[in-house]
Structures are given as structure tokens and as C-alpha cells.
Amino acid sequence: MRTPPEALLDLAADVLGRAGRILPAEAADSPFITLGGTLEQAMRLQARAEERHRLCLDLALLLGPAPLAEVLALAAPVPAAVPERPSAHRCGPALPEQRAALSPGRPARAAYRVLSAELTGPLDMRALRTALEALGARHEGLRTVFTPSATGPVRRVLAGCPVPLVVREPVAVPGPGPEAVAAVHAGLAAQVTELAGRPGRPPLAFVLTPLGPGRRLLSFLYHAAVADAWSAALVWQELLSGYGRTPAFAAAPGPDAVARRARMLRRSGALRALTAERAGQLRDVPARPVRREAFDFRGERLAFGIDEELRDAVEATARRAGVPHSTVVLGAWVLALGRRASTDRLLVDMEMPVRPTAALLRTVAPCTATLPVRCAVEPTADYFLRSLACAFSEALGYAEVDAAALSQELGLSAGSSRVAFAAHDELLPALVRTGALTARFHHGHLGGVTAEASLTVLRWRERPLLALDFATSALSRPEAVRLAAELRTTLRHLAHSRPWSLVEDLVPAGVAGGVWVGAVQ
């Protein structure tokens, strides 16, 4: 009979796509992330461990620096669920991520997000409304309203609140494809508060826009206090799975489980100690690049693709170095920014999941913290890439640290310049078919940013797509185009490097002293 660690190693081999006979030897010395494990794969392994073996894996440990075999040996039985009070009109303080999203200084354009599906084929409106109704009943995060108070925002769960569906009149679009979708998203940006920001209602809405015969764009507009990128993908997965079928999903856990854990950490003093410890690790990194004007949350998106040859080269280099493909993209981003800032150390804000149990993977709530990761340029290509993977895994140990408190410890004001990176390509496939209906996903932009420059991997396997979101106070569009071109060239050099290639030779000549960053404080 196989022991629990052996059974978990079988699951890990399946998730990672590695041979089960080889993985035990590799897992004895290598962390999950340097075996090529991604965040999405870690979450999948966590969920399967609970479902099949009733064992709980801590996500931060799984993506941390300890060897995979040690982490799997620490798996504990799933604790008994804590009964929750009926959700009708339950009140409580907002989660830390919700407080940040609801900050009075953050305008609507920076607080709302949009994730759309281009629907092709016959659409059954009754089935769509039924699926939306079931979705709202299942997730209290979609029935939560926020009100201000003397101590900060308060969240209140409504007993019943159908997820709103707004059907718009056909709009004039420039033609099929991305241009039509971009035109619709631009219209949504101009009306976002009217569509999804009604007082006394949850700050979200689905908006259906006809694009032509048999084509519609269904857009999920939501406030950052409602959902993070993982939650938005979950909403779409469950909506399409429930469309035209009897919903088979049980009621999902609410965000109170996250709130309970945060309260325990605060009461124990552990959160303060973690914050101080993390600040001590990051103080040697120079302050972020200086911008030209005051940050006002206004921004634009520049989406650009890479060809399949470069995608394949990135994946080959990732396999060689033992890191996820997103780490190679991050490496190119760090090199491009570092050369411009004339520094070999950068703080890059990255998303950290705060979902310590598999049950919380089914929760619609902003359970993601955005925290700085210490990214240092190392001498050779593979050493550099592995150091970035390890820096990310180290930072996961501090995922529950409050970002505002950490910034305060580091002496960074709320207006400090920031650069960011995120990989969302594994959250949703490019295309989903449900019955006779086809859904192709589009990541929209509503004209707001929370960082001076942020790179996101939106799609990878099919037609790779990256997005550079930039603050217009820091970059003009021509400057952003040049930065994207420099990034793509750097990525090509890094993807075609040798393990021992000198990193300083991988950055295109002429980048230093660029138009965006002129100095480092």
C-alpha cells in the first residue's frame, strides 16, 4: 500500500507532466517551482490532494523554496469545516485587499476590471439567466455590497440578489475580431459606474452586446473588491459549465474563512513579525524608478503577441533551467527595466495567492495580495532564471502580509513608483465550447492602472499574447511601444541563450538611458 507522500508524488507527477519513476529522485532536492511547477499547477495539486486523499497542502509551502518531497511529507489531514452562519445580511469588515480596492484615492477606472467572452452560435437567454441566478446563489461574494464606516469599508451579504445582466443595443463596431471587442470595451469604460456601480448593489454586472449575426460579447464587469483574476476565471468556468444544464456545484465557501485566518494572524502578532521580517529582506533594494509626474491612476494597455518560434524557445529554456515559462518572460522584463534604471536589483510587484486550502479555490473574493519581490540580475542565464523562481517562492511565505503595512515599513509612500508582473495565461483556456455555443475570451482594459508599468502574460499556448499596462504620467504611447519592442528583443536573446551565457550580453544595445527611467533614488 502506498504511503500518503508516495500517493501525493503520483499526483504531482501527473500535474507536472513528468515520469512518475523519475520525480521521486528530483523531488528529494528540488522545489516544486524549479521542477517547472506553475501557480495554476500548484493549485490543481492542492485541490486533488484534498479531493482524493483528504490531505491538505499549504500553497505557500508548495511554491516555496523547500524540496517538494519535504512539502508533501508535511501534508496534514483536512481539518473539519467550521460552520458558517447563514449568509443573509451578514456584515463584517472588508478584507485587506478589499480595503485597498475601495480606497477613496482610487478612481473607478482603476478599481473595475472586465473579462469578456465572444460568444458564437445560438444563445439561449433563458439558460443564460438561469446560470447567472445559480452563480449568484452559490457565491456570496457576488451578493456583497460595501458601505463606508468610521473604521473603514464594511461588507454586507444580501440574502438574495440576482447577478445583473444588462442587454445593450447593437453598437457600431469597426468589423469582426479584436477591433470590435476593443470598441465595446471602450464603451464599457465610459459607462462602468452606471452599469456596475449602482448604490446599494454589488459592484458588478454582466453586459451582453450584439456584434452581428450569431455573435455577441458577454462582458463580466467587476470591482477589484469583488474578485481577483482567479475568481473572475472561476466565475466564467462555472457560468459556462452551468449554461444549459442543471447546476451541479455546491454552495462555495465565503470569504469569511480568509478573514478568520487574517484575524488569527493579527491577534497572535505573527503578521507584524512577518511584515518586519520581510521589510528587512527588501531594504537593500534601491527605491523604485522616479516618474516625471504625479501618479493619477490613468493608463493605457498595449497588447502584443510573440510568434510560435519564440514561444517554443522560451519553453525550451524554461525546461532547461527548471522554471515555469512565465519566469523566462519575467526575466526579460527585469532585464529590460533594470537596464533602463541602471540597476541590477529591482522590486517587482507580483500577485501572491492567499488561498491556503483547496476549499478557498472555489471562493469568489480578492484572495490575492500584490507584494514586492526582490529581483536581482545574476551573472549567467540559468542561474538568473532560477534565482527569480526562488525569489517568487520566498515571497509566497509572506503572502498574508498587508501590502500597505509593508510599504510603510520600507518607507515607500502610497505614491511610490511601481513596476509589476503577472501571469494569467493558465487561468482560462483561449476558447471553450458548451453545446452549440463557442466562447473565446478577451481580457479588456478600462483605462486605469495601479502601477507605472505592468507586464501580464494573458495567453500562451494558442497565439501567445502579452499586455503592457502603463501609466500615462510615466510613459507616452510611443515610449511604451519602444519598451515593448525592447522587452521582446530581450526575451528572444534570453530564450536563445546557453545555460552559461552572460546575462549582461542578453540586453539589446542602446537600451540604457531610455526614455522612461532616468535615475534611481
Side-chain angles (χ1 to χ4, degrees), residues 132-330:
L132 285 171
E133 183 179 345
L135 197 64
R138 189 161 54 251
H139 293 288
E140 66 176 50
L142 302 178
R143 293 182 278 112
T144 300
V145 297
F146 300 93
T147 54
S149 76
T151 56
V154 172
R155 56 188 172 91
R156 181 167 59 93
V157 180
L158 302 181
C161 180
V163 174
L165 174 62
V166 180
V167 180
R168 303 175 78 198
E169 294 293 324
V171 296
V173 293
E179 294 81 7
V181 173
V184 173
H185 284 162
L188 295 179
Q191 296 181 288
V192 63
T193 51
E194 233 175 278
L195 293 167
R198 295 168 297 168
R201 306 292 287 178
L204 60 96
F206 275 85
V207 182
L208 185 67
T209 308
L211 297 179
R215 292 177 58 243
R216 302 167 181 83
L217 191 70
L218 183 60
S219 302
F220 179 35
L221 278 175
Y222 62 96
H223 196 283
V226 169
D228 55 13
W230 174 271
S231 301
L234 176 66
V235 165
W236 271 112
Q237 289 165 1
E238 293 192 2
L239 176 63
L240 293 174
S241 295
Y243 170 77
R245 304 178 181 91
T246 302
F249 299 100
D256 280 347
V258 181
R260 278 196 298 271
R261 183 174 171 89
R263 284 196 299 270
M264 289 172 58
L265 286 170
R266 283 196 300 270
R267 288 170 184 166
S268 69
L271 207 54
R272 183 175 298 177
L274 277 174
T275 303
E277 181 178 271
R278 184 59 176 160
Q281 296 170 354
L282 301 178
R283 282 202 179 95
D284 69 325
V285 184
R288 294 180 173 97
V290 181
R291 66 169 154 271
R292 299 172 180 174
E293 302 174 22
F295 185 71
D296 60 4
F297 293 95
R298 295 179 185 275
E300 297 180 20
R301 167 167 290 179
L302 176 65
F304 58 98
I306 63 172
D307 56 52
E308 292 183 358
E309 182 276 329
L310 179 53
R311 178 201 65 196
D312 294 344
V314 167
E315 290 183 345
T317 296
R319 286 192 298 271
R320 183 195 74 204
V323 299
H325 63 264
S326 58
T327 300
V328 182
V329 182
L330 169 63

Side-chain angles (χ1 to χ4, degrees), residues 11-12 26 34 46 58 100 156 160 165 167 184 236 295 390 396 416 422 441 463 472 476:
L11 289 183
E26 296 176 323
T34 59
Q46 182 191 46
D58 187 295
R156 181 167 59 93
L165 174 62
V167 180
V184 173
W236 271 112
F295 185 71
C390 290
L396 272 168
S416 292
F441 293 101
R463 296 186 300 166
T472 49
S476 67

Side-chain angles (χ1 to χ4, degrees), residues 5-135:
E6 289 173 337
L8 292 177
L9 270 173
D10 286 344
L11 289 183
D14 183 51
V15 165
L16 290 168
R18 301 174 85 93
R21 65 183 183 278
I22 296 174
L23 186 61
E26 296 176 323
D29 300 311
S30 301
F32 182 81
I33 198 165
T34 59
L35 290 169
T38 64
L39 175 58
E40 188 273 341
Q41 288 173 325
M43 289 179 160
R44 204 171 349 133
L45 176 57
Q46 182 191 46
R48 290 184 185 180
E50 287 201 16
E51 291 166 0
R52 300 183 187 181
H53 301 289
R54 302 301 296 162
L55 290 172
C56 184
L57 288 171
D58 187 295
L59 196 62
L61 287 177
L62 185 56
L63 285 165
L68 175 59
E70 289 183 18
V71 175
L72 298 183
L74 293 173
V78 175
V82 178
E84 294 191 1
R85 292 173 291 164
S87 63
H89 300 290
R90 185 165 69 242
C91 295
L95 301 174
E97 293 80 12
Q98 291 172 329
R99 289 199 303 271
L102 294 163
S103 169
R106 183 176 294 193
R109 63 178 170 270
Y112 280 91
R113 311 281 185 267
V114 60
L115 179 57
S116 298
E118 185 178 356
L119 305 178
T120 305
L123 178 64
D124 184 335
M125 289 298 295
R126 183 176 179 179
L128 176 60
R129 292 184 189 277
T130 298
L132 285 171
E133 183 179 345
L135 197 64

Side-chain angles (χ1 to χ4, degrees), residues 391-422:
F392 176 76
S393 64
E394 177 190 64
L396 272 168
Y398 303 90
E400 290 168 300
V401 166
D402 182 80
L406 180 59
S407 292
Q408 189 174 2
E409 282 276 349
L410 290 170
L412 298 172
S413 67
S416 292
S417 174
R418 292 178 181 270
V419 292
F421 177 81

Side-chain angles (χ1 to χ4, degrees), residues 335-386:
L335 290 176
L337 292 176
R339 183 72 178 268
R340 280 173 164 263
S342 302
T343 182
D344 61 0
R345 289 170 296 159
L346 286 172
L347 290 181
V348 178
D349 287 347
M350 296 179 66
E351 295 177 353
M352 303 287 156
V354 190
R355 296 176 185 264
T357 67
L360 287 174
L361 297 180
R362 298 186 293 111
T363 298
V364 173
C367 299
T368 301
T370 302
L371 296 173
V373 176
R374 186 185 191 280
C375 298
V377 178
E378 302 293 350
T380 56
D382 280 18
Y383 186 31
F384 169 53
L385 293 174
R386 291 189 191 116

